[in-house]
Amino acid sequence: MTLTDLPNVGPKLAENLRRVGLETPEDFRAAGAREAFLRIRAQVDSTACFHQLTALAGAELGAPKKAIPAEEKAALRAFFDSL
């Protein structure tokens, strides 16, 4: 399995993950969506947006980002807004 096999992860997001040291789906899952997002923002793209965070969260859950439960999406929004 490769990073692009995860839901919501296309070539650009996969490249961002690799650039922050997350080479495999297992590496990504071990770090988690929030940590991966923080690394991307710090090391690759300081303008990474909320949509990228929700894409990562969906990938961590194994689901399309539209399937993220409302409570989790609200927690992600609070996390994003706190940055």
Side-chain angles (χ1 to χ4, degrees), residues 34 50 54 68-81:
R34 286 173 175 84
F50 180 68
T54 58
I68 297 171
E71 307 81 40
E72 177 61 16
K73 196 170 267 190
L76 290 167
R77 175 51 77 181
F79 170 77
F80 181 83
D81 290 345

Side-chain angles (χ1 to χ4, degrees), residues 48-66:
C49 66
F50 180 68
H51 296 289
Q52 191 165 161
L53 175 60
T54 58
L56 290 165
E60 184 178 17
L61 292 171
K65 66 182 186 175
K66 291 181 180 185

Side-chain angles (χ1 to χ4, degrees), residues 38 41 46 67:
L38 290 173
R41 240 188 172 193
S46 63

Side-chain angles (χ1 to χ4, degrees), residues 13-35:
L13 185 50
E15 178 60 25
N16 286 350
L17 290 168
R18 283 190 287 277
R19 289 179 64 189
V20 298
L22 304 173
E23 299 284 336
T24 67
E26 293 76 21
D27 294 339
F28 165 68
R29 287 189 191 106
R34 286 173 175 84
E35 175 62 24

